Amino acid sequence: MRLDLPDPGAGPHALALRQAFDALRRGFLALVSTQEAAPMLLLQAPDRSVWRVTISNAGALTAEKIQG
C-alpha cells in the first residue's frame, strides 16, 4: 500500500501535522488493502473523542468530530 500525504513543512503546526500523518499511515496499514476501500475512516483521539475522516474526489482530507 502507498499512502501519499503532503509534507507538513516548517510552519507553526508542522509537528502536530507530522504526528497526525504518521497516525494515519499506521491506521491505514491495517485497514486498507489494494482489493477494497472504505468511504470513511473513524479515528479516536487521545482525549477519547471520535473523528470521521473522509476524502474528496480531489484528494482533500477532512475530519469531522462525531463524538466527545
Side-chain angles (χ1 to χ4, degrees):
M1 181 190 85
R2 181 177 173 167
L3 180 62
D4 292 319
L5 295 170
D7 184 333
H13 304 291
L15 179 59
L17 286 171
R18 198 172 313 279
Q19 290 171 341
F21 290 168
D22 287 344
L24 284 170
R25 283 186 189 95
R26 287 191 306 273
F28 278 113
L29 286 175
L31 298 174
V32 177
S33 75
T34 58
Q35 304 301 316
E36 62 184 271
M40 67 168 181
L41 175 65
L42 296 178
L43 297 174
Q44 188 173 42
D47 69 357
R48 314 268 306 148
S49 60
V50 178
W51 294 79
R52 176 185 298 130
V53 179
T54 58
I55 189 164
S56 74
N57 289 335
L61 292 175
T62 59
E64 174 188 4
K65 191 174 187 177
I66 60 171
Q67 179 182 337

